[in-house]
């Protein structure tokens, strides 16, 4: 097991993530809905072009749709 910290606003780190995704089993998306796509990592495209076996787990506090979907969902934000 390895832990890796990447700055996905850095082109170098985005390229590194892309290389990792090609070999990975799982990609955890902990961003608000749409952020991963803005960074150039649309899960549908990753599955089609890079790794059809990849499991993309999207972990958000309020889900992908609905009135709270784009709100932060961290422990200190929950009511």
């Amino acid at each position: 097991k390895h832990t890796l910290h990447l700055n996905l606003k850095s082109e170098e780190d985005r390229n590194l993530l892309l290389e990792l995704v090609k070999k990975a089993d799982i990609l955890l998306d902990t961003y608000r809905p749409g952020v991963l796509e803005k960074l150039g990592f649309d899960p549908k495209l990753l599955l089609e072009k890079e790794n059809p076996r990849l499991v993309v787990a999207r972990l958000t506090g309020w889900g992908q749709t609905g009135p709270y979907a784009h709100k932060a969902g961290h422990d200190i934000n929950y009511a």
Side-chain angles (χ1 to χ4, degrees):
K1 295 180 181 181
H2 300 279
T3 300
L4 182 63
H5 299 272
L6 299 174
N7 175 0
L8 296 182
K9 293 183 179 180
S10 155
E11 185 175 349
E12 182 179 348
D13 284 2
R14 283 194 309 270
N15 289 336
L16 178 56
L17 180 59
L18 186 57
E19 290 304 311
L20 292 168
V21 162
K22 291 176 181 179
K23 299 180 267 183
D25 297 314
I26 300 171
L27 175 64
L28 296 177
D29 173 9
T30 59
Y31 296 108
R32 295 180 194 183
V35 172
L36 202 59
E37 289 83 351
K38 280 185 189 177
L39 293 169
F41 294 97
D42 185 318
K44 291 178 185 177
L45 296 178
L46 293 176
L47 289 167
E48 289 173 10
K49 295 182 177 184
E50 306 300 339
N51 184 348
R53 299 177 334 276
L54 185 67
V55 173
V56 179
R58 304 192 105 167
L59 311 173
T60 62
W62 306 105
Q64 294 292 306
T65 60
Y68 295 117
H70 293 282
K71 292 186 178 219
H74 307 286
D75 288 340
I76 58 172
N77 297 94
Y78 289 133

